[in-house]
Amino acid sequence: MFDLDRLLRDNIRRLVPYSSARDEFKGEAQVFLDANENSLGSPLTRWYNRYPDPHQWKVKEAISKIKGIPPQHIFLGNGSDECIDLLYRAFCIPGKDNVIINPPTYGMYEVSANINDVEVRRAVLLDDFQLDLVHLENLVDENTKMIWICSPNNPTANSMNRQDIEIVLNNFPGVVVVDEAYINFSRHKSFIQELSDYPNLVVLQTMSKAWGLAGLRMGMAFASEAIIDVYNKVKPPYNISQVNQELALQALEEVGQVNDMIRQLVTMREQLATDLAGLPLVLKVYPSDANFLLVKMNNARGIYESLLEDGIVVRDRSKVELCEGCLRITVGTEKENAELVEALRALSR
Ligand SMILES: *Cc1c(COP(=O)(O)O)cnc(C)c1O
């Protein structure tokens, strides 16, 4: 049912990828005169005069050990944003193909589609923020290449029902992208262990959230070897810099520290949810599987602006469908959370 060759754009199927000096010679040598690098060195220390490993094998090995996924099933992008954009470029013919998103959801699926001139169809979530499978199915036609599922979802903070995602994976013959940017904060199981069951599955994760490295720009895609080969064919040859590879490797050694932060953030999220729910101007705090809370309030826009005057920035989602009257609030430090709650308490006096 899933035919990768048929889904790919013709130009991508036929593409002869760029072959770098590092692709053509991989062995050991003393003298490297093959890549037009500056042989004298650089103003920086170490080997920054050399091009980085185009396939980031050391980083992938380290991720492989943590996730239990072989390196050939991993693609690394300059943030998830690159992992998203490359899928459009590989699969979607501009002006002809379409994709389906499930709003309210992460904005980049639609922006990236617009950049690539790809039609976006919208299966708005149900009132409980779950997938509307009937609507989804009705939107699919022969030009539908991808379905984007964000779980846990931004900005609604909930996870999608696992069975619903499985139904989509089992019935949609195109690519199903499950964006798990917030999976580490969730009680639910990741889909990365299911790659062998679903040749059409792409799981996105990132080092920007739980790993605390939004500044690094390191996105991860997990998929079949065939899909990872497509990614490697269309990516810019050196999309992850040497600096980023080294820092990612360092960070990946600190998985214990990261797990501690995740536990702390989850505890603080529950505390913040309780504190917010006790405030008179808060109408509802939605359950969260992420490191943020969606909070419904009386006069959300006004509260947003008052918080700004106190120097506190949250995200105004009050005009977003299904999130009417809501602010999206990231879990901060203990001190920041206390400041937020105090500022809100002052507002209700
Ligand atoms: C924050 C976020 C990302 C991360 O994007 P990066 O480009 O890796 O920083 C991806 N997906 C969702 C849904 C997010 O909220």
Side-chain angles (χ1 to χ4, degrees), residues 78-81 84 106 109 150 152 154 179 181-182 205-209 214 217-219:
N78 193 330
S80 305
D81 297 338
I84 293 168
Y106 186 47
Y109 314 140
C150 189
N154 177 6
D179 185 344
Y182 299 98
Q205 294 187 3
T206 177
M207 294 188 77
S208 296
K209 306 287 156 66
R217 310 313 298 136
M218 187 70 74

Side-chain angles (χ1 to χ4, degrees), residues 292-306:
F292 61 86
L293 294 169
L294 186 71
V295 186
K296 188 171 249 159
M297 296 177 171
N298 267 322
N299 185 19
R301 180 71 204 176
I303 292 172
Y304 171 82
E305 281 164 2
S306 306

Side-chain angles (χ1 to χ4, degrees), residues 175-341:
V175 174
V176 179
V177 188
V178 180
D179 185 344
E180 296 186 337
Y182 299 98
I183 191 70
N184 306 88
F185 304 106
S186 165
R187 294 153 289 128
H188 293 85
K189 233 177 82 193
S190 165
F191 266 90
I192 54 172
Q193 308 305 332
E194 324 301 327
L195 291 175
S196 48
D197 288 345
Y198 302 112
N200 57 342
L201 171 63
V202 175
V203 178
L204 300 183
Q205 294 187 3
T206 177
M207 294 188 77
S208 296
K209 306 287 156 66
W211 284 86
L213 290 168
L216 195 64
R217 310 313 298 136
M218 187 70 74
M220 303 172 262
F222 302 87
S224 70
E225 273 191 77
I227 293 180
I228 298 300
D229 287 348
V230 170
Y231 259 127
N232 286 331
K233 220 168 140 178
V234 300
K235 82 186 187 77
Y238 303 107
N239 63 324
I240 309 287
S241 77
Q242 178 68 25
V243 182
N244 280 11
Q245 292 189 43
E246 287 173 11
L247 291 175
L249 260 180
Q250 265 187 48
L252 288 162
E253 285 175 17
E254 308 297 337
V255 68
Q257 187 189 330
V258 170
N259 283 333
D260 283 345
M261 286 200 290
I262 293 166
R263 271 190 289 273
Q264 276 185 60
L265 285 167
V266 167
T267 305
M268 286 154 63
R269 174 186 78 201
E270 295 312 309
Q271 184 60 52
L272 182 60
T274 306
D275 293 348
L276 291 173
L279 297 172
L281 41 72
V282 169
L283 300 175
K284 177 164 187 170
V285 181
Y286 290 89
S288 173
D289 274 336
N291 64 338
F292 61 86
L293 294 169
L294 186 71
V295 186
K296 188 171 249 159
M297 296 177 171
N298 267 322
N299 185 19
R301 180 71 204 176
I303 292 172
Y304 171 82
E305 281 164 2
S306 306
L307 285 176
L308 269 188
E309 283 170 24
D310 292 329
I312 300 173
V313 201
V314 298
R315 200 78 194 269
D316 178 11
R317 302 282 83 181
S318 61
K319 298 287 180 300
V320 173
E321 57 192 330
L322 294 191
C323 299
E324 289 84 5
C326 289
L327 301 179
R328 193 194 71 186
I329 303 177
T330 308
V331 176
T333 61
E334 296 278 8
K335 184 162 166 285
E336 289 167 341
N337 297 340
E339 270 179 47
L340 169 78
V341 172

